[in-house]
Structures are given as C-alpha cells and as structure tokens.
Amino acid sequence: MKRIVSTLALGAALGLGATAALAQAPSTLRNVQNKGFVQCGVTQGLAGFSMPDSAGNWTGLDVDLCRAVAAAIFNDPTKVRFSPLSAKDRFTALQSGEIDVLSRNTTWTLQRDTSLGLNFAGINYYDGQGFMVRKSLNVKSARELSGASVCVQTGTTTELNVADFFRANNLKYEPVVFASADETVKAYDSGRCDVFTTDASGLYAERVKLAKPDDHVVLPEIISKEPLGPVVRHGDDQWLDIVKWVHFAMITAEELNITKANLDQMMQSTNPEIRRVLGVEGNGGEALGLTKDWVVRIVRHVGNYAEVFDRNVGPSTRLGISRGLNALWTKGGLQYAPPIR
Amino acid sequence: MTDGTLPARATGAPKVAFFNDPKTRSLIFQGLALALLVFVIFTAVTNAVTNLRNQNIAGGFGFLEQTAGFGISQTPIAWAESMSYGRAFLIGLLNTLLVAVVGIFFATLLGFVVGVARLSPNWVISKIAYWYVEVIRNLPLLFQILFWYLAVLAAMPTPRNSHSLFGLFFANQRGITVPRPIFEAGAGAIGIALLVGIVAAFAVRSWAYKRQAATGQQFPVAASMAGLILGLPILAYFLSGMPISFDYAQQGRFNLTGGMTLIPEFVALTIALVAYTAAFIGEIVRAGIQAVSYGQTEAGRSLGLAEGRILNLIVVPQALRVIIPPLTSQYLNLAKNSSLAVGIGYPDMVSVGGTILNQTGQAIEIIAMWMGCYLTISIVTSIFMNWYNQRIALVER
C-alpha cells in the first residue's frame, strides 16, 4: 500500500521539481560521496539475493554488489542504505532518484533498457523462469498445466512470460496477480493457486519459506531467458561505468584467483595482469573516478564473484544452487568480464 | 432582492483611496493568487517534460495501443493477452465499477437494516446492531479485507473437496462457482418481456397512486408489480421454447471447469467493503430517523395508521432528507476504498493500472488516468445523489 503512495510521490516529484537537479545531469558519484552512502534498491526479501537477517543486516548476492560499490568508493562496505522495493515500484524509485542503484534480480530487456530511462550495468546472475507445483498433483511437465491457477507477481517479465507460454502452447490458465513476492508465495502456499512461477532462482529461494518445502517440486521447463543484473539511471555515464566495472572486477578477481584470503600475497605478485588489476601498476581506477586500489577494496571487503556466489546461493547454502550458467567462461559458463587494462 | 440591499458606495463616488478599496484589493489578491497558481503549474509541467526527456522516457498516451501481454483473472468483457493496454485498463475500470455498484447496493441494504435495528425496542437486536457498528467501524478496512481473504476464504476446501449444493453450486478456495446460463436463439424475447414487464409495472404503480389520490381506493401495487416483472419473462421463456440452458461446473484436473466463478478476491473485497460501509450507513440512518420528531409518529398513531405505514409514509421520507447528503459521502468512500483491492490481487483499476505503469514506465499518464477515472466516478455519483436529494427535499408551499 505504501508503494502506491511512493508511486504517487514520484508523479508529484517528477512534476514539482524535486528532481530539478536532474535537469543539470549531476554526477551521481559526487552526490553519493557527499551524502556518504550508496542508496541501493533491493527486493523486499528473497533468500540468497537480498534478505535482512534477524539483526537487520542485509545479505545476499544482489546486496553484495551494492556493498562492493560502496567498498570501491568509500573503502567501507557498510556505507550502503537499502530500500526494499516491490517489483512494481523498483523502476519508479530509480527514475525519481530515490535510489542510486537498483540491484534487485531485475531482468534486462530491450524495452526496459530503452524506454524506461534506465541503463543495465551487467548480468550478475543468469536465470530463467520456471514453475513450482505441489507434488500431490502429479504433474511432470509444464505442458500439463492447462486449466491451472497461476500465482504470479505483478510488474515482472515473469507475468508476461507466463502469458506467452500458455498462449504459445494453447493452454488455459487463470492468473492471480499480487504486488509483492510475499503475498504471491502466501497465496500459493494457502492453496489459492496450483502453480507458483518466477525465476528459477526465486523458486528455490521461496520454497524454503513454504510451510512444507518438501511437498513442492520445480518442473523441468525453463521457459525464458532472465539475465538479472544491476540497473542505474540513464544519463550518467560515469556512474554506469562504476557499477558495471565493479561487477567486472569481481569476475576478473575470480578469474585471476584473487580471494579475500590471498589478497596480500597477490599484491606482491609479479604477474603484470594481477599487478594492473590490483592497481600496483597503472591507474584504471582513477579513470573511473575512484582510487587506484579500487579492486583491492572490493575483494578485501566483499570477495570475488565465486566467494559471493558460494556464500549466498551456492551448493553449501540452503538454496543449494550450482554454478551452471553462472560459472566463469573458462569453466563452461557465461560469466565473462572484459579485460581490466 | 431589493434595491435596499445594494451597498450605498456602489452608486456614489468612491470615498476611500484606490488601494484601500476592498473591491480593488480583493481583485489584486485574487489576481496574485491566480498568477502564482499558473506559475506553479507551468513550472511543474515544464519540469516534468524536461525530466522525462532527460531520462529518455517517452510521454503521451500512445502506449495504450500497444499489446499488453499479461493475463487478468476477472474480465467482464472479452480479454486476450494480445489485446492492448487501453483495453486492460478498461477492464480494470469495469472491475472497479462492478465492486462499487455491487458494494453500494448491499451496503445500503445492510446499512438500513442496521440503522433501524439499532433503534429497535428489542434489547437483543439493538445490542447486536450496536456492537456490529462499534467493532466494524473501528477496525481498519485493509485489515478487514485481508481477514476475509486470508482467514475466511483461504480456509475453504480445495477444489477437489468443494462444498457443493445439489452438485450445482460449489464453494472452494478458488471461489464460488454457479451454473452459467447459455442463451440460445429466441432468448432475446425473454429480455424484451422483462423490459415490457418493468415498464408496465411502473405504469400500473402510477395509475394506482392516481386512482388512490382521486377515489381513495387501494390497489395491490407490490404484488402486481412483482407479478408483471417476474411473470412476463417466465411466460416468454416457455412460449419461446425454453431457449436457456446451463453450463454446469465439472471437476477438472486442477479447478472446476465450466460454470461461472466469482473469484475469492472479488468476494473478499465486496464483503469487506459492504460490512465496513454498512456500519457507517447504519449510523447515518439512525441519525436520520432520530432527527424526525417523535411527535410525527404520535400524530400518525392518532390518525390510526399501522406502525409500518407510519414508518414508510411519515418517518422515512422525512429521515431521507437528513440521510442522503452523508450517504453520498459513504458511496464515494466505498468507490475509492475499492482501490485497497491491490492488497489481495483483485484486478481493479489500480492493480491493472499499476501493472501497465510498471511494464511501460508511463507513471504520469497512468496516474492522470487514475485521477481522471476516480474523479469522474465521484462526480457522477455526487450529481446523481444531489439530483435525488433535490427531488425528495422538503417542498415548501
């Protein structure tokens, strides 16, 4: 409900000149440095991606990207404030300047990249949409779902994909649409729907929240490509570069096997590539508007991509997601960073 | 108005300095206020346009013709994912209107019952009405909607174990399912008969009133109206060869298939809006009835009228004059409160519009459309209620 208010507030803000500063295209970086923290939009709670713990600390893959940006700027990963956003309100919050970066398992699409006034800064999780049903229904494939009620979150690519899937396969369905992920899962759990659909990562993350997780099964079909990644406002190239290269830095660190643990040894390395990445040679960081040791800061405080992945969603966590498409390109996956030089 | 009410100054020469003249002053201040308002609006609009252009967001209402691509769970008119955003918004609007109209109808009925019950000489009935009003109107509406949706309707059985009545009517977690009528050729005659019946019924009513006014003879108006409105269509149904059949609900693999289903979101929202608004209407009705002097009732008794006729002919017509204006506000509240539907996933205008907003990013346009629609609904309701209020207002002779 309060999101309606914020949507209206955006209307007012766009209208009434609260964003007058935007007209002069200010530097988001300078703005962030002045206020002393990064305002980061995240989900309202998706295990493994962005979720507050009992002490109110946010953790997760998406959260760690924000922490890495803060680490690169301030040398302090705690200088982030989080805005939990529903899928429906996330873009409005970014457009209106309420947040500096949106790191909220958001699918990169042509329409969003072009007509929403946004820029996507990379893909920190390659995903695809799937379906979850009760085991007791004995459904083996999504093609058997004709006539089913489907719980889905509004304002998502998920909502469009599910419509496409049922239309393409000539199946009937009844969409039951909720504003937040929580309401959607609750409705599925209470039996309002036969099917819960979202990105596969989300299915695994939400399943652990159900009353009896073992009674539910994820169907084999993946019906879409969902490249998820951080998003920034259109019109500030420097800020886009920073967010983009913070992500690439974590991938590169994994590729070069630079970890939190061996960082100090790596600083002594004679490998010119490692020396360049860690800022011992060259000044890549300064060109971004950061310091020479920006990658060191990211790895020291947050870790490389593998560390972040394993800590939040990897096989040893409750989610138990394998690297799959998210393995490095050198290991058969899709994660690939342009060279830092 | 007579000449005596005109200010003397208006006809004579001004006796005060120009800037001390209250008329000039008021003009200047009103002019300033207007200029300020125009400036604020102008700044707001240019600012919005600049910001949108800077953020590369296309403006205008052209997006309404694009393909929507999402599903909607309750569609009063035909809907397919390949249709446009404009039609999706229209469906949202119709769903809002549906809840508002059904809600206003039942809230008025229940509200009058509660209002009269509170004044009942029967201690139990008046206490029940009292506690109903006190409990319902002191709980937040959103809470009540969630209560009906999550606590009452979600506790219904699964589709496979539906409560069923004669195998025709079903109630389960997915809603209430009833047989769906299928109109075959010739069914049009029934509709025409219904219209003829209604017109005839009102003609009979006005004839009977005139006759009673002229001769004092009474006519069984209610019975003959009911007979005409119900009887003519039933007659037409049989004469045209029973052209209506029913599609009965069947147990499908997941849900019931066939029939007509009231989705639980609609049921929960309507029940909550009706219960909530009726509590307020009940108090308005009570106030209206109490505003009619008890002497009026006593006068009716002294004429030898029955209690029911005293209520119908003397008390209620006078009470309505007090009841109608605040009742209008309650109708407006109910229509606007239906936007809380977004909390339980009922596809009303705010929910569907929100989806469109999110898929297209056209925040300003969608918000303008919401405002325009709610404004129109409210103004139309108000105009109608004001018209009705004038019609029943005390005519002084």
Side-chain angles (χ1 to χ4, degrees):
Chain A
M1 232 43 49
K2 98 183 162 206
R3 288 295 151 204
I4 298 173
V5 178
S6 80
T7 310
L8 290 175
L10 161 79
L14 278 176
L16 287 174
T19 51
L22 275 177
Q24 300 141 27
S27 157
T28 308
L29 175 63
R30 198 165 318 132
N31 192 357
V32 164
Q33 282 168 334
N34 285 343
K35 64 183 174 182
F37 58 89
V38 179
Q39 190 75 42
C40 177
V42 293
T43 67
Q44 290 154 316
L46 182 64
F49 290 84
S50 46
M51 184 92 151
D53 64 17
S54 51
N57 295 315
W58 285 83
T59 57
L61 189 79
D62 288 337
V63 164
D64 278 346
L65 187 103
C66 297
R67 297 215 184 275
V69 172
I73 298 172
F74 299 111
N75 199 15
D76 181 353
T78 63
K79 294 204 166 168
V80 190
R81 293 195 191 166
F82 294 97
S83 304
L85 297 168
S86 77
K88 189 163 162 291
D89 302 299
R90 54 189 161 175
F91 301 126
T92 322
L94 185 61
Q95 288 160 347
S96 64
E98 203 182 303
I99 55 174
D100 301 309
V101 55
L102 178 71
S103 183
R104 191 202 173 285
N105 60 354
T106 299
T107 305
W108 188 344
T109 68
L110 170 78
Q111 196 256 352
R112 287 173 177 178
D113 207 353
T114 51
S115 63
L116 290 189
L118 307 173
N119 275 332
F120 281 79
I123 298 166
N124 69 341
Y125 193 91
Y126 288 91
D127 209 342
Q129 183 177 342
F131 297 102
M132 181 158 65
V133 295
R134 284 180 181 71
K135 273 184 188 159
S136 59
L137 283 175
N138 258 327
V139 174
K140 298 280 172 258
S141 155
R143 286 175 217 291
E144 300 170 28
L145 290 177
S146 191
S149 304
V150 181
C151 276
V152 57
Q153 198 183 349
T154 186
T156 54
T157 49
T158 314
E159 193 183 1
L160 303 179
N161 292 333
V162 72
D164 282 355
F165 174 80
F166 281 90
R167 186 147 54 119
N169 288 288
N170 232 338
L171 306 173
K172 277 194 186 167
Y173 78 113
E174 180 203 17
V176 186
V177 176
F178 296 90
S180 83
D182 248 10
E183 285 163 355
T184 319
V185 176
K186 221 178 278 165
Y188 169 72
D189 209 8
S190 76
R192 174 66 184 88
C193 306
D194 304 299
V195 185
F196 173 59
T197 182
T198 187
D199 296 344
S201 60
L203 290 181
Y204 289 103
E206 300 290 8
R207 185 163 67 170
V208 300
K209 281 200 242 164
L210 297 176
K212 289 181 186 160
D214 294 337
D215 287 359
H216 303 269
V217 58
V218 175
L219 297 179
E221 281 90 352
I222 295 291
I223 63 165
S224 67
K225 289 184 289 187
E226 307 287 337
L228 311 179
V231 196
V232 295
R233 259 187 306 284
H234 185 96
D236 186 347
D237 289 350
Q238 184 194 28
W239 185 246
L240 171 65
D241 286 342
I242 289 174
V243 176
K244 181 161 59 181
W245 283 95
V246 164
H247 168 62
F248 288 149
M250 289 195 280
I251 306 274
T252 308
E254 180 185 354
E255 217 177 289
L256 298 175
N257 205 16
I258 306 170
T259 64
K260 261 183 177 181
N262 68 12
L263 186 61
D264 290 327
Q265 282 162 260
M266 284 293 190
M267 302 277 280
Q268 316 300 326
S269 166
T270 52
N271 180 329
E273 194 175 359
I274 292 174
R275 291 173 70 80
R276 195 165 53 235
V277 166
L278 294 181
V280 184
E281 283 172 17
N283 60 353
E286 282 165 6
L288 278 173
L290 303 173
T291 56
K292 268 186 189 179
D293 64 340
W294 64 292
V295 181
V296 176
R297 292 173 167 195
I298 294 170
V299 176
R300 176 175 299 133
H301 296 298
V302 181
N304 68 29
Y305 184 76
E307 289 175 284
V308 170
F309 191 98
D310 292 342
R311 182 169 67 225
N312 294 306
V313 299
S316 62
T317 64
R318 271 210 301 174
L319 268 64
I321 300 176
S322 63
R323 281 295 284 272
L325 291 177
N326 290 295
L328 286 186
W329 63 287
T330 50
K331 294 175 185 162
L334 293 175
Q335 287 294 359
Y336 183 100
I340 295 184
R341 64 181 309 141
Chain B
M1 211 184 267
T2 64
D3 287 348
T5 58
L6 284 174
R9 201 184 333 108
T11 50
K15 289 180 186 123
V16 287
F18 149 82
F19 48 85
N20 277 340
D21 186 344
K23 218 173 190 178
T24 323
R25 276 195 173 185
S26 82
L27 276 179
I28 291 175
F29 282 117
Q30 286 178 45
L32 280 177
L34 188 68
L36 191 70
L37 188 70
V38 168
F39 173 75
V40 168
I41 292 173
F42 175 78
T43 317
V45 170
T46 46
N47 224 318
V49 169
T50 317
N51 287 335
L52 287 176
R53 197 175 299 141
N54 283 342
Q55 291 184 42
N56 209 13
I57 301 175
F61 287 92
F63 71 94
L64 286 176
E65 283 163 24
Q66 292 167 16
T67 301
F70 55 83
I72 302 176
S73 60
Q74 177 181 298
T75 53
I77 52 174
W79 170 250
E81 285 82 357
S82 53
M83 290 178 178
S84 68
Y85 284 123
R87 194 176 174 94
F89 192 89
L90 177 66
I91 286 178
L93 174 61
L94 291 176
N95 283 338
T96 294
L97 289 175
L98 184 68
V99 161
V101 169
V102 173
I104 283 174
F105 178 77
F106 286 106
T108 310
L109 277 185
L110 182 60
F112 269 80
V113 169
V114 169
V116 172
R118 273 211 65 179
L119 294 172
S120 166
N122 181 320
W123 188 83
V124 176
I125 290 178
S126 84
K127 279 298 155 193
I128 289 175
Y130 170 79
W131 282 108
Y132 169 79
V133 168
E134 288 308 320
V135 170
I136 294 286
R137 78 176 175 173
N138 285 308
L139 293 174
L141 179 55
L142 181 61
F143 166 81
Q144 293 189 35
I145 293 173
L146 292 174
F147 168 79
W148 286 104
Y149 188 60
L150 294 175
V152 179
L153 296 180
M156 296 280 257
T158 61
R160 288 181 190 194
N161 311 314
S162 304
H163 290 306
S164 108
L165 194 64
F166 312 124
L168 296 177
F169 306 97
F170 298 92
N172 58 43
Q173 283 175 323
R174 310 284 162 80
I176 298 165
T177 305
V178 298
R180 183 165 59 89
I182 299 171
F183 298 101
E184 289 151 25
I190 298 169
I192 294 168
L194 180 67
L195 281 180
V196 171
I198 291 173
V199 171
F202 279 91
V204 164
R205 190 177 76 149
S206 89
W207 167 79
Y209 283 175
K210 269 189 201 138
R211 194 180 70 144
Q212 189 181 352
T215 67
Q217 286 176 301
Q218 293 191 349
F219 188 79
V221 176
S224 50
M225 282 180 82
L228 282 169
I229 294 175
L230 292 176
L232 280 182
I234 293 174
L235 199 65
Y237 171 70
F238 286 107
L239 285 182
S240 58
M242 299 191 273
I244 298 179
S245 60
F246 287 93
D247 172 27
Y248 301 102
Q250 301 257 320
Q251 181 67 58
R253 173 151 191 195
F254 297 104
N255 296 327
L256 297 167
T257 58
M260 267 193 316
T261 300
L262 281 180
I263 58 172
E265 290 78 21
F266 175 81
V267 176
L269 184 65
T270 309
I271 292 178
L273 284 174
V274 166
Y276 184 75
T277 314
F280 290 89
I281 293 180
E283 286 296 272
I284 291 170
V285 169
R286 178 172 71 97
I289 292 174
Q290 286 183 327
V292 178
S293 151
Y294 191 61
Q296 298 279 327
T297 310
E298 290 173 329
R301 281 188 197 141
S302 69
L303 286 173
L305 289 176
E307 291 295 323
R309 306 212 85 195
I310 293 174
L311 199 67
N312 275 336
L313 296 174
I314 299 176
V315 178
V316 168
Q318 296 186 73
L320 274 184
R321 288 168 194 145
V322 180
I323 291 172
I324 297 298
L327 190 63
T328 308
S329 309
Q330 291 306 323
Y331 287 177
L332 299 184
N333 281 345
L334 189 145
K336 289 180 288 186
N337 284 340
S338 70
S339 61
L340 289 171
V342 77
I344 55 168
Y346 176 71
D348 79 325
M349 179 166 56
V350 174
S351 168
V352 175
T355 303
I356 300 173
L357 188 161
N358 204 261
Q359 303 288 6
T360 61
Q362 308 287 349
I364 291 179
E365 288 84 354
I366 292 287
I367 289 169
M369 286 166 72
W370 280 336
M371 295 199 316
C373 288
Y374 278 117
L375 201 62
T376 311
I377 294 173
S378 295
I379 287 177
V380 168
T381 313
S382 253
I383 287 176
F384 173 77
M385 294 300 283
N386 284 342
W387 165 79
Y388 185 63
N389 190 33
Q390 271 171 9
R391 219 181 80 105
I392 63 159
L394 195 62
V395 182
E396 295 189 45
R397 293 191 176 92

